[in-house]
Amino acid sequence: MFQNMFIGFMPSTGRAVIRTNMSKNCAQILRRFCMIMRQNFAKSCEDKLNDQINLELKACHQYLAMAYHFDRADVSSPGIHSFFLKASMEERDHAEHIMKYMNKRGGLIRLSTVPEPLADFGDALGALKHALQMELEVNQHLLDVHALAGKENDPNLCDFIEANFLQEQVDGQKILADFIRQLERAKSDIGEYMFDKYMASAGMHQEIKKR
């Protein structure tokens, strides 16, 4: 631990100082402090949760791009803009909630580059269908995390996923599927206008809870 370390003397203060080029070793030492409370948390579960965090942030960015597409002057759908803006905030909330959990378990958070989101959508129906596919992808990954936690005998992680995500995802998918069918039936200029009015007060999930 103390290799490559030397003690110097500062005449101006009369104090001895310790200098070291062990930055990598120091980082490892600090990392061990985070590991003190780590128990029954497999590296495979840590990696899978990091993947989930980055998937939630990917969805957050995509919903944000979708929201401001419908805020454009040549699109002007304030209801759908509001709906997707709420969805973006919810996805970020999910990512942050998992990050807080990761720190409680002694894991290391690794944020990757967020892919560039799609910037243009033909209409609201196409955007809602894309949103449903995203939610299905996110939900499948959550199910994979839960399955891995069971395999690694990690009941705490299983409980975390069950209590905070699984039912919420199913509810959100049902809401999107309902909206898609409703908009398909209302497919006309006046129909889309009325649907947008309705969407102004809609949300994919319940109001974000203070965790």
Side-chain angles (χ1 to χ4, degrees):
M1 174 176 174
F2 296 103
Q3 61 182 351
N4 299 327
M5 180 180 289
F6 66 93
I7 299 177
F9 185 78
M10 294 182 65
S12 60
T13 62
R15 295 177 182 175
V17 294
I18 299 176
R19 299 184 182 183
T20 177
N21 58 2
M22 298 170 57
S23 58
K24 182 180 291 188
N25 289 347
C26 287
Q28 291 173 350
I29 293 169
L30 292 172
R31 181 80 189 100
R32 290 194 190 103
F33 282 110
C34 184
M35 300 282 283
I36 287 174
M37 75 296 219
R38 183 164 181 147
Q39 182 182 30
N40 193 39
F41 188 43
K43 183 65 166 59
S44 58
C45 291
E46 178 183 322
D47 293 341
K48 202 72 171 174
L49 277 178
N50 270 315
D51 291 343
Q52 188 68 42
I53 291 168
N54 287 292
L55 196 59
E56 300 284 356
L57 291 175
K58 174 186 172 184
C60 169
H61 277 66
Q62 183 60 73
Y63 280 131
L64 193 62
M66 293 162 79
Y68 282 93
H69 167 81
F70 288 98
D71 187 52
R72 284 167 35 181
D74 60 334
V75 180
S76 189
S77 295
I80 298 175
H81 162 73
S82 176
F83 176 79
F84 284 135
L85 198 57
K86 290 176 188 174
S88 177
M89 293 170 60
E90 288 164 0
E91 299 302 331
R92 175 168 174 164
D93 180 68
H94 292 167
E96 291 180 349
H97 192 43
I98 298 171
M99 285 190 274
K100 288 177 182 177
Y101 177 80
M102 183 83 88
N103 284 339
K104 289 178 182 179
R105 295 297 303 274
L108 179 64
I109 297 168
R110 297 183 185 277
L111 299 182
S112 63
T113 303
V114 178
E116 182 178 349
L118 297 175
D120 193 23
F121 296 89
D123 56 17
L125 183 59
L128 287 170
K129 288 181 176 179
H130 185 73
L132 179 56
Q133 289 304 311
M134 277 200 308
E135 291 298 323
L136 290 170
E137 179 186 3
V138 168
N139 189 47
Q140 182 58 57
H141 199 275
L142 283 167
L143 295 173
D144 293 343
V145 174
H146 187 275
L148 179 62
K151 180 181 176 182
E152 296 287 0
N153 193 28
D154 190 338
N156 186 269
L157 179 53
C158 286
D159 180 69
F160 172 74
I161 297 297
E162 291 171 8
N164 293 282
F165 296 101
L166 295 187
Q167 189 58 51
E168 183 177 295
Q169 283 296 131
V170 171
D171 293 342
Q173 289 163 202
K174 175 63 164 59
I175 289 170
L176 282 171
D178 287 347
F179 285 163
I180 289 168
R181 185 67 191 109
Q182 290 164 12
L183 189 51
E184 285 175 340
R185 291 204 305 262
K187 197 63 177 161
S188 66
D189 287 344
I190 188 62
E192 288 200 27
Y193 175 78
M194 295 303 296
F195 184 79
D196 184 72
K197 290 288 187 184
Y198 168 70
M199 290 285 280
S201 60
M204 200 182 311
H205 306 297
Q206 294 180 349
E207 185 177 344
I208 295 175
K209 302 182 287 292
K210 297 296 182 184
R211 307 204 192 254

